[in-house]
Amino acid sequence: MSSNPVAETVASLMPRAKAELTELVAFKSVADFDQFPRSESEGAARWVADALTAEGFQDVALLDTPDGTQSVYGYLPGPAGAKTVLLYAHYDVQPPLDEAAWTTPPFELTERDGRWYGRGAADCKGGVIMHLLALRALKANGGVPVHVKVIAEGSEEMGTGGLERYAEEHPDLLEADTIVIGDAGNFRVGLPTVTATLRGMTLVRVQIDTLEGNLHSGQFGGAAPDALGALIRVLDSLRAEDGSTTVDGLTPDTSWDGLRYDEEQFRQDAKVLDGVRLIGSGTVADRIWARPAVTVLGIDCPPVVGATPSVQASARALISLRVPPGIDAAEATKLLEAHVAAHTPWGARVRTEQIGQGQPFSADTASPAYAAMAEAMAVAYPGQEMQYAGQGGSIPLCNTLAALYPHAEILLIGLSEPEAQIHAVNESVHPDELERLSVAEALFLRTYAAS
């Protein structure tokens, strides 16, 4: 990184950043209070609130959102007449999955092979630290030239929409000229990237019932309708032979026009086993950024250990459908539910229940804020030009903010590059990415203020 005062300040703050991220990662802030104590999320929220207060933020508040979680808000005034920028991150995290599969404990930030490992290190507690670093660097080098609002969400990973509904009920709170969502990531370590599109998502629970109760498979099997077998037939109908998603009425063949994703590189990033083929057709970018994708997230059925020779009377599954820009998530949900009903065999009784939804998002990359970010990233990443990529994941808040504030420019950056393995075991963040993106955000705020 070329020498400049902002970069030098951020470099000097990195030991503090590591210590703070260690503290924040230690909170088991999974917003599923059936599995994790509410006190862990509340502790993380208080940590963020205290950090904002220490940086001179005003009106710092723990917002009780309608889904029973807390989001943290703060306002840092800038010069009179300055623009307002909203900085977003979330402090809640995904469950650690199988803790025994982690090389080091998931809630203990651990340095290994040049990376910092821990749940939320990249997604998205690292984003909270990135915002703090950027603001501290500006304060040490002439001051923050814009009004800054920070919002740290407490239930983004659960998709329960608490902050979205709160923002709709308090439309003035998050209003800004530009919004920086710190929950995306570079296409690759060292390659500065803004995310131009996000797929939306719908979550649907499917319940199939065929019998009043389980039956002996020897006495009744072969004629008695098996609910688990029916569910398997339904789930299989959601994919073509090559693995492409096939929901009746949903367009499957849109294309991505932008950054290419090499297939072999994708295999490495996804850690696909040797000899196993990728699914779908078209380019990798088409498949993960521009087309719908169905995933079976879970099935309720008897485990292998302890299973009895029974015909199953009931079975359930949770299905995720990622929805690309250009398709309305509510309409996709209707198509998915209709598909499930149409493909349920043997007259089995089927019920569907939507339990979460977020619309896809597409940014205006021709806006002045994007020009300012390109200039800032060129300094933070010498010799590299800012790239535009899509992201297969969903951030439902983006569409809420775009609807509430149609004049606002929305940029997505962050620490979740492929090696970060967000949502998986051994999640990590590369400290160089944290340092460079903090520099880029600080320089962006300065450049944008002057534009």
Side-chain angles (χ1 to χ4, degrees), residues 28-74:
K28 300 177 181 179
S29 51
V30 179
D32 180 350
F33 303 136
D34 291 332
Q35 296 188 69
F36 291 84
R38 181 183 296 270
S39 60
E40 292 288 319
S41 288
E42 292 176 342
R46 285 194 300 271
W47 189 100
V48 176
D50 290 345
L52 295 180
T53 300
E55 294 303 322
F57 276 74
Q58 302 175 2
D59 305 323
V60 176
L62 299 175
L63 310 177
D64 293 319
T65 56
D67 63 354
T69 65
Q70 294 178 319
S71 291
V72 186
Y73 171 81

mmCIF file of all heavy atoms in Angstrom, residues 28-74:
data_model
loop_
_atom_site.group_PDB
_atom_site.id
_atom_site.type_symbol
_atom_site.label_atom_id
_atom_site.label_comp_id
_atom_site.label_asym_id
_atom_site.label_seq_id
_atom_site.Cartn_x
_atom_site.Cartn_y
_atom_site.Cartn_z
ATOM 1 N N LYS A 28 -21.402 -15.004 21.596
ATOM 2 C CA LYS A 28 -22.097 -16.006 20.785
ATOM 3 C C LYS A 28 -23.427 -15.415 20.321
ATOM 4 O O LYS A 28 -24.511 -15.895 20.664
ATOM 5 C CB LYS A 28 -22.301 -17.287 21.584
ATOM 6 C CG LYS A 28 -20.982 -17.912 22.042
ATOM 7 C CD LYS A 28 -21.213 -19.145 22.912
ATOM 8 C CE LYS A 28 -19.879 -19.727 23.377
ATOM 9 N NZ LYS A 28 -20.068 -20.911 24.240
ATOM 10 N N SER A 29 -23.316 -14.391 19.475
ATOM 11 C CA SER A 29 -24.478 -13.557 19.139
ATOM 12 C C SER A 29 -25.257 -14.113 17.951
ATOM 13 O O SER A 29 -25.398 -13.470 16.916
ATOM 14 C CB SER A 29 -24.043 -12.116 18.883
ATOM 15 O OG SER A 29 -22.979 -12.060 17.946
ATOM 16 N N VAL A 30 -25.751 -15.325 18.112
ATOM 17 C CA VAL A 30 -26.646 -15.945 17.139
ATOM 18 C C VAL A 30 -28.066 -15.574 17.536
ATOM 19 O O VAL A 30 -28.499 -15.848 18.663
ATOM 20 C CB VAL A 30 -26.479 -17.476 17.114
ATOM 21 C CG1 VAL A 30 -27.432 -18.099 16.106
ATOM 22 C CG2 VAL A 30 -25.032 -17.847 16.806
ATOM 23 N N ALA A 31 -28.822 -14.960 16.633
ATOM 24 C CA ALA A 31 -30.152 -14.455 16.969
ATOM 25 C C ALA A 31 -31.214 -15.549 16.896
ATOM 26 O O ALA A 31 -32.323 -15.329 16.411
ATOM 27 C CB ALA A 31 -30.511 -13.295 16.053
ATOM 28 N N ASP A 32 -30.862 -16.715 17.355
ATOM 29 C CA ASP A 32 -31.796 -17.828 17.496
ATOM 30 C C ASP A 32 -31.810 -18.167 18.976
ATOM 31 O O ASP A 32 -30.964 -18.917 19.464
ATOM 32 C CB ASP A 32 -31.350 -19.021 16.658
ATOM 33 C CG ASP A 32 -32.302 -20.208 16.770
ATOM 34 O OD1 ASP A 32 -33.201 -20.174 17.638
ATOM 35 O OD2 ASP A 32 -32.146 -21.173 16.004
ATOM 36 N N PHE A 33 -32.763 -17.594 19.697
ATOM 37 C CA PHE A 33 -32.724 -17.672 21.148
ATOM 38 C C PHE A 33 -33.259 -18.989 21.688
ATOM 39 O O PHE A 33 -33.292 -19.194 22.908
ATOM 40 C CB PHE A 33 -33.466 -16.467 21.740
ATOM 41 C CG PHE A 33 -32.901 -15.144 21.272
ATOM 42 C CD1 PHE A 33 -33.731 -14.111 20.887
ATOM 43 C CD2 PHE A 33 -31.522 -14.955 21.186
ATOM 44 C CE1 PHE A 33 -33.213 -12.897 20.440
ATOM 45 C CE2 PHE A 33 -30.985 -13.753 20.732
ATOM 46 C CZ PHE A 33 -31.830 -12.723 20.369
ATOM 47 N N ASP A 34 -33.658 -19.886 20.798
ATOM 48 C CA ASP A 34 -33.940 -21.254 21.218
ATOM 49 C C ASP A 34 -32.649 -22.050 21.385
ATOM 50 O O ASP A 34 -32.623 -23.050 22.106
ATOM 51 C CB ASP A 34 -34.837 -21.960 20.192
ATOM 52 C CG ASP A 34 -36.247 -21.392 20.161
ATOM 53 O OD1 ASP A 34 -36.693 -20.877 21.207
ATOM 54 O OD2 ASP A 34 -36.879 -21.427 19.096
ATOM 55 N N GLN A 35 -31.600 -21.606 20.695
ATOM 56 C CA GLN A 35 -30.320 -22.326 20.751
ATOM 57 C C GLN A 35 -29.232 -21.567 21.507
ATOM 58 O O GLN A 35 -28.338 -22.194 22.087
ATOM 59 C CB GLN A 35 -29.805 -22.590 19.333
ATOM 60 C CG GLN A 35 -30.670 -23.487 18.483
ATOM 61 C CD GLN A 35 -29.970 -23.828 17.178
ATOM 62 O OE1 GLN A 35 -28.981 -24.559 17.156
ATOM 63 N NE2 GLN A 35 -30.466 -23.286 16.079
ATOM 64 N N PHE A 36 -29.281 -20.230 21.483
ATOM 65 C CA PHE A 36 -28.216 -19.429 22.069
ATOM 66 C C PHE A 36 -28.812 -18.384 23.007
ATOM 67 O O PHE A 36 -29.879 -17.832 22.725
ATOM 68 C CB PHE A 36 -27.395 -18.738 20.973
ATOM 69 C CG PHE A 36 -26.572 -19.687 20.151
ATOM 70 C CD1 PHE A 36 -27.136 -20.363 19.079
ATOM 71 C CD2 PHE A 36 -25.241 -19.934 20.464
ATOM 72 C CE1 PHE A 36 -26.395 -21.256 18.326
ATOM 73 C CE2 PHE A 36 -24.494 -20.826 19.716
ATOM 74 C CZ PHE A 36 -25.063 -21.486 18.644
ATOM 75 N N PRO A 37 -28.141 -18.097 24.115
ATOM 76 C CA PRO A 37 -28.706 -17.150 25.091
ATOM 77 C C PRO A 37 -28.892 -15.758 24.500
ATOM 78 O O PRO A 37 -28.006 -15.243 23.805
ATOM 79 C CB PRO A 37 -27.646 -17.129 26.209
ATOM 80 C CG PRO A 37 -26.862 -18.384 26.041
ATOM 81 C CD PRO A 37 -26.860 -18.672 24.567
ATOM 82 N N ARG A 38 -30.040 -15.162 24.790
ATOM 83 C CA ARG A 38 -30.292 -13.791 24.363
ATOM 84 C C ARG A 38 -29.223 -12.849 24.915
ATOM 85 O O ARG A 38 -28.866 -11.850 24.283
ATOM 86 C CB ARG A 38 -31.680 -13.364 24.858
ATOM 87 C CG ARG A 38 -32.078 -11.955 24.446
ATOM 88 C CD ARG A 38 -33.437 -11.592 25.034
ATOM 89 N NE ARG A 38 -34.491 -12.444 24.503
ATOM 90 C CZ ARG A 38 -35.190 -12.166 23.409
ATOM 91 N NH1 ARG A 38 -34.939 -11.063 22.728
ATOM 92 N NH2 ARG A 38 -36.126 -12.994 22.983
ATOM 93 N N SER A 39 -28.698 -13.167 26.097
ATOM 94 C CA SER A 39 -27.701 -12.304 26.736
ATOM 95 C C SER A 39 -26.442 -12.154 25.889
ATOM 96 O O SER A 39 -25.755 -11.125 25.973
ATOM 97 C CB SER A 39 -27.337 -12.860 28.112
ATOM 98 O OG SER A 39 -26.796 -14.178 28.000
ATOM 99 N N GLU A 40 -26.116 -13.158 25.065
ATOM 100 C CA GLU A 40 -24.928 -13.057 24.221
ATOM 101 C C GLU A 40 -25.132 -11.983 23.145
ATOM 102 O O GLU A 40 -24.231 -11.180 22.876
ATOM 103 C CB GLU A 40 -24.627 -14.410 23.575
ATOM 104 C CG GLU A 40 -24.177 -15.479 24.559
ATOM 105 C CD GLU A 40 -22.770 -15.221 25.083
ATOM 106 O OE1 GLU A 40 -21.889 -14.825 24.294
ATOM 107 O OE2 GLU A 40 -22.556 -15.418 26.296
ATOM 108 N N SER A 41 -26.309 -11.974 22.526
ATOM 109 C CA SER A 41 -26.599 -10.945 21.528
ATOM 110 C C SER A 41 -26.697 -9.569 22.177
ATOM 111 O O SER A 41 -26.198 -8.574 21.634
ATOM 112 C CB SER A 41 -27.902 -11.271 20.785
ATOM 113 O OG SER A 41 -27.723 -12.373 19.912
ATOM 114 N N GLU A 42 -27.317 -9.499 23.330
ATOM 115 C CA GLU A 42 -27.425 -8.217 24.014
ATOM 116 C C GLU A 42 -26.051 -7.697 24.424
ATOM 117 O O GLU A 42 -25.795 -6.493 24.375
ATOM 118 C CB GLU A 42 -28.341 -8.362 25.230
ATOM 119 C CG GLU A 42 -29.798 -8.611 24.850
ATOM 120 C CD GLU A 42 -30.694 -8.857 26.049
ATOM 121 O OE1 GLU A 42 -30.149 -9.166 27.142
ATOM 122 O OE2 GLU A 42 -31.924 -8.766 25.909
ATOM 123 N N GLY A 43 -25.157 -8.601 24.801
ATOM 124 C CA GLY A 43 -23.798 -8.189 25.150
ATOM 125 C C GLY A 43 -23.053 -7.624 23.957
ATOM 126 O O GLY A 43 -22.345 -6.612 24.062
ATOM 127 N N ALA A 44 -23.225 -8.260 22.796
ATOM 128 C CA ALA A 44 -22.577 -7.754 21.585
ATOM 129 C C ALA A 44 -23.143 -6.398 21.195
ATOM 130 O O ALA A 44 -22.402 -5.493 20.773
ATOM 131 C CB ALA A 44 -22.755 -8.755 20.440
ATOM 132 N N ALA A 45 -24.457 -6.231 21.344
ATOM 133 C CA ALA A 45 -25.080 -4.940 21.032
ATOM 134 C C ALA A 45 -24.532 -3.846 21.935
ATOM 135 O O ALA A 45 -24.219 -2.737 21.473
ATOM 136 C CB ALA A 45 -26.597 -5.045 21.175
ATOM 137 N N ARG A 46 -24.403 -4.139 23.215
ATOM 138 C CA ARG A 46 -23.855 -3.139 24.144
ATOM 139 C C ARG A 46 -22.403 -2.813 23.791
ATOM 140 O O ARG A 46 -21.967 -1.665 23.918
ATOM 141 C CB ARG A 46 -23.958 -3.641 25.585
ATOM 142 C CG ARG A 46 -25.368 -3.587 26.154
ATOM 143 C CD ARG A 46 -25.365 -3.772 27.664
ATOM 144 N NE ARG A 46 -24.790 -5.063 28.048
ATOM 145 C CZ ARG A 46 -25.499 -6.176 28.158
ATOM 146 N NH1 ARG A 46 -26.800 -6.159 27.907
ATOM 147 N NH2 ARG A 46 -24.917 -7.307 28.515
ATOM 148 N N TRP A 47 -21.646 -3.835 23.345
ATOM 149 C CA TRP A 47 -20.249 -3.583 22.956
ATOM 150 C C TRP A 47 -20.203 -2.580 21.811
ATOM 151 O O TRP A 47 -19.409 -1.629 21.839
ATOM 152 C CB TRP A 47 -19.582 -4.894 22.530
ATOM 153 C CG TRP A 47 -18.105 -4.785 22.321
ATOM 154 C CD1 TRP A 47 -17.115 -5.157 23.193
ATOM 155 C CD2 TRP A 47 -17.426 -4.251 21.166
ATOM 156 N NE1 TRP A 47 -15.875 -4.891 22.655
ATOM 157 C CE2 TRP A 47 -16.029 -4.340 21.431
ATOM 158 C CE3 TRP A 47 -17.842 -3.723 19.956
ATOM 159 C CZ2 TRP A 47 -15.065 -3.910 20.510
ATOM 160 C CZ3 TRP A 47 -16.882 -3.283 19.047
ATOM 161 C CH2 TRP A 47 -15.520 -3.373 19.322
ATOM 162 N N VAL A 48 -21.042 -2.768 20.806
ATOM 163 C CA VAL A 48 -21.062 -1.850 19.669
ATOM 164 C C VAL A 48 -21.507 -0.458 20.124
ATOM 165 O O VAL A 48 -20.922 0.563 19.730
ATOM 166 C CB VAL A 48 -21.989 -2.381 18.558
ATOM 167 C CG1 VAL A 48 -22.082 -1.379 17.414
ATOM 168 C CG2 VAL A 48 -21.487 -3.728 18.030
ATOM 169 N N ALA A 49 -22.534 -0.402 20.963
ATOM 170 C CA ALA A 49 -23.014 0.889 21.456
ATOM 171 C C ALA A 49 -21.918 1.617 22.231
ATOM 172 O O ALA A 49 -21.717 2.830 22.056
ATOM 173 C CB ALA A 49 -24.249 0.687 22.329
ATOM 174 N N ASP A 50 -21.198 0.903 23.076
ATOM 175 C CA ASP A 50 -20.109 1.523 23.846
ATOM 176 C C ASP A 50 -19.002 2.028 22.922
ATOM 177 O O ASP A 50 -18.415 3.089 23.162
ATOM 178 C CB ASP A 50 -19.539 0.524 24.852
ATOM 179 C CG ASP A 50 -20.507 0.221 25.993
ATOM 180 O OD1 ASP A 50 -21.486 0.980 26.172
ATOM 181 O OD2 ASP A 50 -20.284 -0.791 26.693
ATOM 182 N N ALA A 51 -18.705 1.251 21.868
ATOM 183 C CA ALA A 51 -17.659 1.665 20.921
ATOM 184 C C ALA A 51 -18.059 2.948 20.204
ATOM 185 O O ALA A 51 -17.227 3.850 20.009
ATOM 186 C CB ALA A 51 -17.389 0.547 19.916
ATOM 187 N N LEU A 52 -19.322 3.058 19.806
ATOM 188 C CA LEU A 52 -19.788 4.274 19.143
ATOM 189 C C LEU A 52 -19.748 5.468 20.104
ATOM 190 O O LEU A 52 -19.314 6.568 19.733
ATOM 191 C CB LEU A 52 -21.205 4.078 18.612
ATOM 192 C CG LEU A 52 -21.387 3.045 17.497
ATOM 193 C CD1 LEU A 52 -22.855 2.974 17.077
ATOM 194 C CD2 LEU A 52 -20.505 3.347 16.290
ATOM 195 N N THR A 53 -20.172 5.251 21.336
ATOM 196 C CA THR A 53 -20.138 6.323 22.330
ATOM 197 C C THR A 53 -18.719 6.816 22.546
ATOM 198 O O THR A 53 -18.462 8.028 22.621
ATOM 199 C CB THR A 53 -20.744 5.839 23.660
ATOM 200 O OG1 THR A 53 -22.107 5.432 23.439
ATOM 201 C CG2 THR A 53 -20.709 6.937 24.710
ATOM 202 N N ALA A 54 -17.768 5.882 22.613
ATOM 203 C CA ALA A 54 -16.368 6.248 22.822
ATOM 204 C C ALA A 54 -15.808 7.059 21.659
ATOM 205 O O ALA A 54 -14.862 7.845 21.843
ATOM 206 C CB ALA A 54 -15.532 4.988 23.038
ATOM 207 N N GLU A 55 -16.384 6.892 20.461
ATOM 208 C CA GLU A 55 -15.919 7.642 19.291
ATOM 209 C C GLU A 55 -16.650 8.973 19.135
ATOM 210 O O GLU A 55 -16.466 9.657 18.122
ATOM 211 C CB GLU A 55 -16.103 6.794 18.030
ATOM 212 C CG GLU A 55 -15.235 5.560 17.971
ATOM 213 C CD GLU A 55 -13.752 5.858 18.081
ATOM 214 O OE1 GLU A 55 -13.297 6.884 17.521
ATOM 215 O OE2 GLU A 55 -13.036 5.093 18.759
ATOM 216 N N GLY A 56 -17.463 9.345 20.106
ATOM 217 C CA GLY A 56 -18.123 10.639 20.058
ATOM 218 C C GLY A 56 -19.463 10.655 19.378
ATOM 219 O O GLY A 56 -20.018 11.728 19.097
ATOM 220 N N PHE A 57 -20.031 9.484 19.097
ATOM 221 C CA PHE A 57 -21.351 9.439 18.464
ATOM 222 C C PHE A 57 -22.417 9.952 19.431
ATOM 223 O O PHE A 57 -22.329 9.756 20.646
ATOM 224 C CB PHE A 57 -21.699 8.011 18.035
ATOM 225 C CG PHE A 57 -21.131 7.613 16.698
ATOM 226 C CD1 PHE A 57 -19.781 7.342 16.546
ATOM 227 C CD2 PHE A 57 -21.958 7.518 15.586
ATOM 228 C CE1 PHE A 57 -19.267 6.983 15.316
ATOM 229 C CE2 PHE A 57 -21.454 7.151 14.352
ATOM 230 C CZ PHE A 57 -20.102 6.893 14.212
ATOM 231 N N GLN A 58 -23.415 10.590 18.872
ATOM 232 C CA GLN A 58 -24.549 11.077 19.628
ATOM 233 C C GLN A 58 -25.761 10.180 19.384
ATOM 234 O O GLN A 58 -25.780 9.398 18.429
ATOM 235 C CB GLN A 58 -24.882 12.513 19.213
ATOM 236 C CG GLN A 58 -23.738 13.500 19.402
ATOM 237 C CD GLN A 58 -24.072 14.874 18.869
ATOM 238 O OE1 GLN A 58 -25.172 15.129 18.386
ATOM 239 N NE2 GLN A 58 -23.106 15.795 18.948
ATOM 240 N N ASP A 59 -26.752 10.333 20.234
ATOM 241 C CA ASP A 59 -28.021 9.599 20.074
ATOM 242 C C ASP A 59 -27.808 8.093 19.959
ATOM 243 O O ASP A 59 -28.581 7.399 19.277
ATOM 244 C CB ASP A 59 -28.782 10.093 18.832
ATOM 245 C CG ASP A 59 -29.015 11.596 18.850
ATOM 246 O OD1 ASP A 59 -29.269 12.139 19.933
ATOM 247 O OD2 ASP A 59 -28.912 12.219 17.775
ATOM 248 N N VAL A 60 -26.745 7.574 20.608
ATOM 249 C CA VAL A 60 -26.500 6.130 20.546
ATOM 250 C C VAL A 60 -27.651 5.406 21.246
ATOM 251 O O VAL A 60 -28.034 5.758 22.364
ATOM 252 C CB VAL A 60 -25.151 5.774 21.196
ATOM 253 C CG1 VAL A 60 -24.954 4.262 21.225
ATOM 254 C CG2 VAL A 60 -24.012 6.457 20.447
ATOM 255 N N ALA A 61 -28.203 4.404 20.555
ATOM 256 C CA ALA A 61 -29.386 3.734 21.087
ATOM 257 C C ALA A 61 -29.399 2.269 20.703
ATOM 258 O O ALA A 61 -28.930 1.887 19.617
ATOM 259 C CB ALA A 61 -30.660 4.409 20.573
ATOM 260 N N LEU A 62 -29.941 1.458 21.609
ATOM 261 C CA LEU A 62 -30.254 0.064 21.317
ATOM 262 C C LEU A 62 -31.719 0.024 20.890
ATOM 263 O O LEU A 62 -32.615 0.263 21.699
ATOM 264 C CB LEU A 62 -30.024 -0.814 22.547
ATOM 265 C CG LEU A 62 -28.592 -0.848 23.096
ATOM 266 C CD1 LEU A 62 -28.533 -1.650 24.393
ATOM 267 C CD2 LEU A 62 -27.647 -1.444 22.070
ATOM 268 N N LEU A 63 -31.950 -0.230 19.640
ATOM 269 C CA LEU A 63 -33.300 -0.201 19.084
ATOM 270 C C LEU A 63 -33.937 -1.575 19.209
ATOM 271 O O LEU A 63 -33.413 -2.563 18.683
ATOM 272 C CB LEU A 63 -33.251 0.213 17.606
ATOM 273 C CG LEU A 63 -32.444 1.468 17.262
ATOM 274 C CD1 LEU A 63 -32.443 1.679 15.748
ATOM 275 C CD2 LEU A 63 -32.985 2.686 17.990
ATOM 276 N N ASP A 64 -35.050 -1.643 19.903
ATOM 277 C CA ASP A 64 -35.787 -2.906 20.026
ATOM 278 C C ASP A 64 -36.626 -3.097 18.770
ATOM 279 O O ASP A 64 -37.638 -2.416 18.575
ATOM 280 C CB ASP A 64 -36.676 -2.882 21.269
ATOM 281 C CG ASP A 64 -35.865 -2.863 22.565
ATOM 282 O OD1 ASP A 64 -34.863 -3.588 22.630
ATOM 283 O OD2 ASP A 64 -36.241 -2.113 23.484
ATOM 284 N N THR A 65 -36.215 -4.022 17.910
ATOM 285 C CA THR A 65 -36.882 -4.209 16.631
ATOM 286 C C THR A 65 -38.013 -5.238 16.767
ATOM 287 O O THR A 65 -38.026 -6.039 17.711
ATOM 288 C CB THR A 65 -35.876 -4.634 15.548
ATOM 289 O OG1 THR A 65 -35.191 -5.820 15.969
ATOM 290 C CG2 THR A 65 -34.845 -3.535 15.325
ATOM 291 N N PRO A 66 -38.974 -5.237 15.840
ATOM 292 C CA PRO A 66 -40.176 -6.072 15.996
ATOM 293 C C PRO A 66 -39.930 -7.572 16.065
ATOM 294 O O PRO A 66 -40.830 -8.309 16.477
ATOM 295 C CB PRO A 66 -41.005 -5.707 14.753
ATOM 296 C CG PRO A 66 -40.581 -4.333 14.392
ATOM 297 C CD PRO A 66 -39.113 -4.290 14.711
ATOM 298 N N ASP A 67 -38.767 -8.037 15.664
ATOM 299 C CA ASP A 67 -38.505 -9.482 15.735
ATOM 300 C C ASP A 67 -37.889 -9.902 17.066
ATOM 301 O O ASP A 67 -37.440 -11.042 17.219
ATOM 302 C CB ASP A 67 -37.617 -9.931 14.564
ATOM 303 C CG ASP A 67 -36.245 -9.274 14.588
ATOM 304 O OD1 ASP A 67 -36.001 -8.383 15.430
ATOM 305 O OD2 ASP A 67 -35.404 -9.645 13.743
ATOM 306 N N GLY A 68 -37.832 -8.980 18.025
ATOM 307 C CA GLY A 68 -37.323 -9.328 19.344
ATOM 308 C C GLY A 68 -35.823 -9.196 19.503
ATOM 309 O O GLY A 68 -35.269 -9.653 20.511
ATOM 310 N N THR A 69 -35.145 -8.607 18.531
ATOM 311 C CA THR A 69 -33.703 -8.394 18.629
ATOM 312 C C THR A 69 -33.416 -6.897 18.718
ATOM 313 O O THR A 69 -34.321 -6.067 18.655
ATOM 314 C CB THR A 69 -32.955 -9.009 17.435
ATOM 315 O OG1 THR A 69 -33.343 -8.330 16.225
ATOM 316 C CG2 THR A 69 -33.272 -10.494 17.308
ATOM 317 N N GLN A 70 -32.131 -6.565 18.863
ATOM 318 C CA GLN A 70 -31.714 -5.175 18.989
ATOM 319 C C GLN A 70 -30.778 -4.786 17.864
ATOM 320 O O GLN A 70 -29.858 -5.543 17.519
ATOM 321 C CB GLN A 70 -31.005 -4.947 20.328
ATOM 322 C CG GLN A 70 -31.897 -5.125 21.546
ATOM 323 C CD GLN A 70 -31.137 -4.926 22.842
ATOM 324 O OE1 GLN A 70 -30.005 -5.378 22.992
ATOM 325 N NE2 GLN A 70 -31.760 -4.232 23.789
ATOM 326 N N SER A 71 -31.005 -3.615 17.303
ATOM 327 C CA SER A 71 -30.047 -2.996 16.395
ATOM 328 C C SER A 71 -29.445 -1.785 17.091
ATOM 329 O O SER A 71 -30.096 -1.156 17.931
ATOM 330 C CB SER A 71 -30.727 -2.571 15.088
ATOM 331 O OG SER A 71 -31.112 -3.703 14.322
ATOM 332 N N VAL A 72 -28.207 -1.467 16.754
ATOM 333 C CA VAL A 72 -27.498 -0.379 17.419
ATOM 334 C C VAL A 72 -27.387 0.796 16.458
ATOM 335 O O VAL A 72 -26.938 0.632 15.320
ATOM 336 C CB VAL A 72 -26.095 -0.823 17.872
ATOM 337 C CG1 VAL A 72 -25.431 0.283 18.700
ATOM 338 C CG2 VAL A 72 -26.169 -2.113 18.677
ATOM 339 N N TYR A 73 -27.769 1.980 16.928
ATOM 340 C CA TYR A 73 -27.743 3.190 16.105
ATOM 341 C C TYR A 73 -26.887 4.261 16.775
ATOM 342 O O TYR A 73 -26.866 4.378 18.005
ATOM 343 C CB TYR A 73 -29.157 3.732 15.918
ATOM 344 C CG TYR A 73 -29.207 5.101 15.265
ATOM 345 C CD1 TYR A 73 -29.102 5.236 13.879
ATOM 346 C CD2 TYR A 73 -29.345 6.261 16.035
ATOM 347 C CE1 TYR A 73 -29.137 6.496 13.282
ATOM 348 C CE2 TYR A 73 -29.383 7.516 15.446
ATOM 349 C CZ TYR A 73 -29.278 7.632 14.068
ATOM 350 O OH TYR A 73 -29.302 8.863 13.480
ATOM 351 N N GLY A 74 -26.201 5.045 15.951
ATOM 352 C CA GLY A 74 -25.480 6.206 16.448
ATOM 353 C C GLY A 74 -25.312 7.235 15.351
ATOM 354 O O GLY A 74 -25.316 6.900 14.158
#
